[in-house]
Amino acid sequence: MKLILLEAVLYLQIPLTWYLFRRFAKRNVTGEMIAGAMIGAFNEFATEPLWDYHLHLNVYKDTPLAVVLGWGVMFTLVTFISEKLYCAFLKKPRIEPRDKRIFVFDVVAAALVAFPLETLGLKAGIWTYRYDRLAWDWGTVPFFNMPYEALFGYILFMLVTPTFVRYWEKPFEGGV
């Protein structure tokens, strides 16, 4: 029963995130959510043997649709936080084109947003790691009690994926 409620919450987070950004940030995040879900679909397909999911509505083997769409929400949050940190720390009104310093803020946003969401999903029982296949042995991050490899994986992932999301968000929203 707990997982059915969690799955419902995962689906509700999508329109809720879109609405909250539209209402309070005056920002259309449709493009970020679509681009992020595309990355999520690729990631889940490529890494499917490494985790076991425990939800009901699946799109590929045991990979839930809610998780694939949840990547869109996560990347929306990561890019937003990263851009806000960039502007605040560098005292800029917006990201300057081709400014590589954004990568630092993408990595920080991964640690602030993506890694805690990963921890929450694992601790809630939405998925379990296949440690027999992962062979993660670096130890665990204090407080989170999560493998260092998961944090490092998110850091590496954020060196590429927010750039993809930023590049494709406008075309998905009908812009250039």
Side-chain angles (χ1 to χ4, degrees):
M1 182 61 163
K2 175 182 106 172
L3 287 176
I4 291 173
L5 292 174
L6 281 172
E7 190 164 6
V9 168
L10 290 174
Y11 284 111
L12 287 173
Q13 77 176 341
I14 298 156
L16 181 64
T17 300
W18 182 88
Y19 172 77
L20 291 173
F21 269 96
R22 189 72 153 188
R23 174 91 164 84
F24 296 108
K26 307 292 187 241
R27 183 172 174 154
N28 181 4
V29 293
T30 304
E32 286 107 317
M33 293 177 92
I34 293 170
M38 288 173 53
I39 298 228
F42 167 78
N43 186 57
E44 294 302 330
F45 179 80
T47 64
E48 188 277 331
L50 302 177
W51 357 94
D52 289 327
Y53 287 101
H54 309 293
L55 299 179
H56 293 84
L57 184 56
N58 299 323
V59 292
Y60 175 69
K61 296 188 179 183
D62 75 336
T63 303
L65 177 61
V67 169
V68 171
L69 297 174
W71 281 98
V73 171
M74 188 197 70
F75 282 116
T76 298
L77 297 172
V78 166
T79 55
F80 181 76
I81 298 291
S82 175
E83 291 166 10
K84 292 299 180 191
L85 290 171
Y86 174 97
C87 293
F89 279 93
L90 300 179
K91 304 206 182 333
K92 306 262 184 199
R94 69 187 65 79
I95 299 173
E96 292 180 2
R98 295 182 172 68
D99 186 352
K100 305 303 183 267
R101 295 178 292 180
I102 190 63
F103 292 127
V104 172
F105 297 100
D106 289 345
V107 167
V108 170
L112 293 173
V113 177
F115 187 66
L117 288 176
E118 176 78 14
T119 304
L120 185 62
L122 185 71
K123 304 294 183 198
I126 295 170
W127 59 80
T128 51
Y129 293 152
R130 292 292 309 269
Y131 287 105
D132 60 317
R133 295 179 182 171
L134 291 165
W136 285 348
D137 58 5
W138 290 356
T140 57
V141 177
F143 177 74
F144 290 97
N145 196 29
M146 290 283 288
Y148 278 109
E149 290 92 340
L151 176 59
F152 188 65
Y154 270 107
I155 288 169
L156 291 175
F157 209 35
M158 294 308 154
L159 292 174
V160 176
T161 51
T163 301
F164 175 88
V165 170
R166 286 186 193 97
Y167 183 82
W168 284 101
E169 69 184 284
K170 294 297 183 231
F172 285 126
E173 293 167 358
V176 181

